Amino acid sequence: MEEPFASRCIGLCIRVSSLIAALMLLVVGGAHLQSSFNQWCPEEYTECFGPWLFWDKDSFFTSTNQQLGNTYFGPNYGKVFTLDPTMLCTRWGPLFLGIAGALEHVAPAATGLPYKSPGGMVMWHLVMALFVAFPCGGNWGVLTGFACLWVCCIVTIGSCFDLRSQPLTFGHYSDSFLFRILLACSSVSCARFLVPAMKSTSLVTAILVIVVGGAHLSNLIDSWCTDADPVDYTCAGPWLFFNHDDFFKESKNCYSSLDHCQAGLYGSVFTIDPKTASCVWMPLGFGLWAAVEHVKAFSPGLVTTPGRALVFHAFVMFFVGFPCAGNFGIVVACWCSVPLLLSFLMIVFCPTQSLEVNFSSSDAWVPDRFKYTQDAQYHQLEVQEANVEPGRGKRFKHARHSRVVVNNQL
């Protein structure tokens, strides 16, 4: 049965309007971010790796927090590409949300969220207008906000029609031009090369990022107690101060973000302040996360597709590699472009295949002596219908226990 003409027109109008709003939000995110960038490394003064990064010819694993450094705690690259949750959301949030909205119109990347229903689409564009478009991008942001509100209106009107068979975005449209191009470029044979190459390079990347995180952490840890006043304090190891006068006094070991605590000591690294702890510990955390994705017993299963691997390695490159561990971090960030490229090729040439990007699905690394068969016996309750002769009452059911042998394999 052919769908009513009004429903088809409303569906097309929703798809086009939401696509225009998504592209306008991308521009808003870029305009909001562009004012934060600068040529932090002038080549006429020192050695640089491009216009943003400093290259230290004297030390390979360290980077200063001062004017000639790339770290999160300095005034240059790391101040923009930071893991501080507050700055990450306010500076990068508009662009990330714009990308998420635009990808819903790209068939291989469409997830259905937040455009799963007309109500979800209305709420998404309302939030984008009030909290992203109007505050960011100047006059363009104001126009984008009104475009998002127009999408809210047209979707609300469309809810009065039967849109059950109408996709709300081009990402779920069967005749999507982009998806047809990707299908034309797809090749099953490419997966034979891309999958093992992606697994190997992502594992190497995980190990390198762990080293980056460890080097970044070691650059922040120091023998803080070597300069302690011998009259008031003694050292409990090279890190901790022990007060002679007041047993409960806090000043040396406590969190540096508090007013009564001294900065630059133990509490500046071992802290639960989200802003500081994210910049100190998350580089190592990203490395450990990437590594456990390859171990079947510990894998959280969050980076298991080419699309997720693309996002993960891009984030690690710009937000972990370049700001941390000096020159070594820059080298590792450049290496991240290899799994980044491989995951992109997997998306382009294998859009309809379910490809593996890590070793967590394989038992090849498990020694043979740990692979055994164990017979486990369980009691299963089976319900069977009793056979009765016609005319002798209702059928009834009875239960009996039976032992079932299940083969569990490690």
Side-chain angles (χ1 to χ4, degrees):
M1 182 185 224
E2 188 177 357
E3 196 170 1
F5 177 76
S7 297
R8 285 185 282 129
C9 290
I10 290 291
L12 177 61
C13 186
I14 291 175
R15 289 193 294 272
V16 173
S17 299
S18 61
L19 175 60
I20 294 174
L23 295 177
M24 294 180 72
L25 281 171
L26 276 178
V27 179
V28 167
H32 172 68
L33 190 62
Q34 62 91 22
S35 60
S36 301
F37 285 88
N38 197 2
Q39 185 179 356
W40 294 298
C41 187
E43 297 184 3
E44 60 269 19
Y45 295 110
T46 184
E47 295 189 9
C48 301
F49 187 84
W52 293 351
L53 298 168
F54 292 88
W55 184 269
D56 192 347
K57 60 182 179 181
D58 298 324
S59 179
F60 193 72
F61 286 91
T62 60
S63 180
T64 178
N65 295 333
Q66 305 304 321
Q67 293 293 330
L68 301 181
N70 306 318
T71 67
Y72 304 125
F73 306 100
N76 302 313
Y77 180 91
K79 186 178 181 180
V80 176
F81 292 86
T82 181
L83 296 179
D84 176 357
T86 301
M87 298 306 299
L88 186 65
C89 290
T90 55
R91 180 173 281 125
W92 291 92
L95 181 61
F96 289 163
L97 292 172
I99 293 174
L103 287 178
E104 288 299 318
H105 293 272
V106 181
T111 62
L113 296 174
Y115 302 155
K116 192 173 183 179
S117 65
M121 177 170 271
V122 169
M123 289 302 300
W124 168 267
H125 285 91
L126 182 62
V127 172
M128 291 299 102
L130 298 179
F131 296 93
V132 176
F134 287 145
C136 305
N139 297 344
W140 180 262
V142 175
L143 294 177
T144 302
F146 286 118
C148 292
L149 293 179
W150 162 253
V151 176
C152 295
C153 294
I154 195 66
V155 174
T156 303
I157 295 173
S159 62
C160 300
F161 298 84
D162 185 7
L163 299 177
R164 287 175 293 179
S165 61
Q166 282 293 322
L168 299 178
T169 67
F170 287 102
H172 297 277
Y173 188 55
S174 58
D175 295 329
S176 173
F177 177 71
L178 179 59
F179 191 56
R180 288 177 177 270
I181 294 177
L182 292 177
L183 289 178
C185 298
S186 63
S187 173
V188 178
S189 59
C190 289
R192 300 175 184 174
F193 162 75
L194 292 174
V195 170
M198 182 63 193
K199 289 182 177 181
S200 302
T201 54
S202 62
L203 179 59
V204 173
T205 303
I207 297 173
L208 292 175
V209 174
I210 290 177
V211 178
V212 168
H216 171 68
L217 189 61
S218 66
N219 292 335
L220 299 174
I221 295 177
D222 198 3
S223 299
W224 296 294
C225 199
T226 55
D227 298 330
D229 188 349
V231 177
D232 299 326
Y233 298 91
T234 57
C235 293
W239 295 351
L240 299 174
F241 296 84
F242 199 85
N243 191 1
H244 290 167
D245 299 332
D246 190 344
F247 196 77
F248 292 99
K249 180 181 179 181
E250 287 186 350
S251 62
K252 299 288 187 181
N253 303 323
C254 55
Y255 306 132
S256 59
S257 56
L258 300 177
D259 295 336
H260 65 278
C261 298
Q262 185 174 336
L265 299 178
Y266 182 89
S268 63
V269 175
F270 296 88
T271 178
I272 57 176
D273 177 12
K275 297 178 64 174
T276 305
S278 298
C279 295
V280 172
W281 293 97
M282 281 189 68
L284 180 60
F286 274 105
L288 295 175
W289 175 18
V292 298
E293 285 288 350
H294 291 269
V295 182
K296 187 174 185 178
F298 302 102
S299 173
L302 299 177
V303 186
T304 55
T305 62
R308 294 181 181 182
L310 177 70
V311 174
F312 179 82
H313 287 97
F315 189 88
V316 168
M317 173 193 289
F318 290 104
F319 289 87
V320 176
F322 287 134
C324 302
N327 300 348
F328 181 73
I330 295 176
V331 173
V332 173
C334 294
W335 165 261
C336 287
S337 61
V338 178
L340 190 66
L341 176 61
L342 290 174
S343 58
F344 176 75
L345 293 177
M346 293 171 77
I347 294 173
V348 172
F349 293 107
C350 310
T352 60
Q353 301 180 51
S354 178
L355 302 182
E356 301 171 356
V357 296
N358 53 55
F359 290 103
S360 61
S361 60
S362 175
D363 287 334
W365 58 275
V366 181
D368 292 336
R369 64 180 179 274
F370 291 108
K371 296 179 181 179
Y372 61 92
T373 300
Q374 179 183 2
D375 292 334
Q377 295 181 345
Y378 302 96
H379 289 280
Q380 177 178 329
L381 188 64
E382 293 182 354
V383 179
Q384 293 185 347
E385 189 173 2
N387 294 322
V388 296
E389 297 180 4
R392 293 195 176 184
K394 296 182 179 180
R395 292 180 176 270
F396 63 93
K397 295 182 179 181
H398 74 280
R400 68 181 180 85
H401 286 278
S402 62
R403 297 196 344 176
V404 181
V405 178
V406 181
N407 292 329
N408 288 338
Q409 192 171 17
L410 180 65

